[in-house]
Amino acid sequence: MSDLLPNCQLSDSKEGEESCPRPIHELLPLREAHIGAGLIIRRALPQRERRLIGAWCFLDHFGPLDLSKGGGLNIGPHPHIGLQTFTYLLEGSILHRDSLGSYQKIQPDQVNLMTAGKGIAHSEESLGGDVLHGVQLWIALPDEVRNIAPSFNHYPELPVHQQNSVQIRVLAGEYAGAIANPKIYTPLVGLHITSPEEAEIVLPIEPLFEYGVVVLKGVVSIDEHQPTLDELLYLGCGRGQLKVKLAANTHLLLIGGEPFKEEVLVWWNFVARSVDEISEATKDWQAGHRFGEVKGYQGMRLAAPPIPWESV
Ligand code: MN
């Protein structure tokens, strides 16, 4: 994904949040944007009150989109630096192409992980099927690896832990001894939790991690708090367990991680440490340098928005 919201704002992780708050239940409204062809995205991260959860620095929940009405997701070539893009689908399929020559279809229950490092460009297009529904997250890379060579990996199978009727797919990190393969660089976790029938479970979690929950479908209660589809439930650190109640056919995404210690600047599709780095990456993209070419995509590359701190 690319930052497609109408106002592309600079997000500075230094501003206005505790590094590791105690256990809390903070309901934060998602920003909603219609990005054409009936596709709605709901942005959970970053937001003013909460820039990061561990190293997770961006979370878009997109769809469900009815593809039978035409159109679909169609995001032309655009650049990234300093992050990993992490795509996971509930329904439908997306074709990923990038400037390394990767050409990869992703389907439900799979992960696409693109490590941008010093720079990569990619495109994303929905393929056939009636519905598209998924999430894209970004993971901030820590300083020692944020300028590494770019890479792309597809993970067709993720481990699943079954707890009564509840299925817990480990998308990143570890849960109950099940370790997900996606290569990550800081301690974090991502879980897709679902149940075909009404269920209640106690989920053991890591007290040193901060956590957040986004409902992807259905109705959920977390320690008696009920985030809607339009809210992020931020939970802070310091908890050993979560009490989760799910209505039948509910899907939720739980993300967590060790609080990220470095200041992070996010603007458009770049994660950096200074506005100068972002300016340089933007100019390199506009000049056709650094990021390479995404071959085979039928359409225009995305232009960077004007850089707000350089405009008169
Ligand atoms: Mn992208």
Side-chain angles (χ1 to χ4, degrees):
M1 298 285 276
S2 172
D3 184 346
L4 300 164
L5 291 191
N7 294 315
C8 190
Q9 291 166 343
L10 182 71
S11 168
D12 183 345
S13 67
K14 200 171 54 179
E15 291 175 2
E17 69 192 53
E18 295 174 73
S19 59
C20 186
R22 298 181 171 284
I24 53 172
H25 297 94
E26 187 180 26
L27 283 170
L28 299 167
L30 307 192
R31 277 183 291 160
E32 193 173 286
H34 297 253
I35 59 167
L39 186 59
I40 297 173
I41 57 168
R42 296 183 180 86
R43 181 155 305 159
L45 289 175
Q47 44 180 300
R48 198 180 302 277
E49 296 82 4
R50 185 55 47 196
R51 315 283 171 166
L52 295 148
I53 296 178
W56 300 105
C57 63
F58 180 97
L59 199 180
D60 267 359
H61 174 202
F62 53 89
L65 169 69
D66 182 354
L67 295 177
S68 64
K69 291 175 183 163
L73 181 80
N74 224 320
I75 302 175
H78 59 275
H80 287 287
I81 62 167
L83 58 83
Q84 296 175 289
T85 64
F86 189 101
T87 310
Y88 180 70
L89 294 184
L90 273 72
E91 293 178 89
S93 54
I94 293 177
L95 177 63
H96 162 97
R97 303 175 202 258
D98 65 41
S99 50
L100 300 173
S102 312
Y103 178 91
Q104 180 66 56
K105 179 177 169 178
I106 178 174
Q107 294 183 294
D109 305 335
Q110 303 180 336
V111 165
N112 270 359
L113 181 68
M114 184 179 78
T115 303
K118 64 188 175 189
I120 192 168
H122 71 148
S123 64
E124 291 152 297
E125 309 151 62
S126 52
L127 297 169
D130 287 340
V131 181
L132 180 69
H133 188 196
V135 288
Q136 189 174 95
L137 301 99
W138 298 351
I139 303 169
L141 289 170
D143 213 31
E144 62 270 22
V145 294
R146 68 191 183 92
N147 288 308
I148 56 175
S151 60
F152 173 81
N153 291 92
H154 174 66
Y155 298 94
E157 282 198 42
L158 287 311
V160 173
H161 177 82
Q162 195 79 32
Q163 214 164 309
N164 302 322
S165 72
V166 180
Q167 180 181 282
I168 302 168
R169 181 169 283 104
V170 189
L171 312 184
E174 180 188 351
Y175 178 78
I179 300 168
N181 282 327
K183 169 77 176 161
I184 49 177
Y185 294 90
T186 49
L188 55 77
V189 69
L191 304 177
H192 170 208
I193 302 171
T194 184
S195 174
E197 57 191 62
E198 192 179 314
E200 182 172 341
I201 55 162
V202 174
L203 211 65
I205 59 170
E206 168 56 58
L208 295 176
F209 282 11
E210 56 182 337
Y211 286 89
V213 171
V214 171
V215 185
L216 303 177
K217 186 179 176 184
V219 179
V220 67
S221 160
I222 310 275
D223 293 345
E224 315 303 334
H225 294 258
Q226 283 143 1
T228 66
L229 283 167
D230 302 313
E231 291 169 315
L232 165 71
L233 175 62
Y234 178 70
L235 295 161
C237 294
R239 254 173 244 275
Q241 60 182 46
L242 275 185
K243 194 166 80 184
V244 180
K245 284 188 205 166
L246 304 162
N249 293 315
T250 289
H251 293 259
L252 66 90
L253 178 70
L254 175 75
I255 57 169
E258 203 173 276
F260 200 71
K261 292 174 187 73
E262 300 164 32
E263 183 193 351
V264 167
L265 289 180
V266 182
W267 185 78
W268 194 38
N269 298 310
F270 304 131
V271 172
R273 301 295 183 274
S274 71
V275 290
D276 288 349
E277 279 176 50
I278 293 174
S279 297
E280 200 181 325
T282 306
K283 286 167 188 167
D284 281 350
W285 173 247
Q286 300 298 52
H289 301 150
R290 189 194 317 199
F291 297 97
E293 191 189 339
V294 179
K295 293 198 171 77
Y297 178 81
Q298 303 294 310
M300 302 278 286
R301 74 210 287 276
L302 301 187
I307 303 171
W309 54 92
E310 292 193 355
S311 63
V312 191

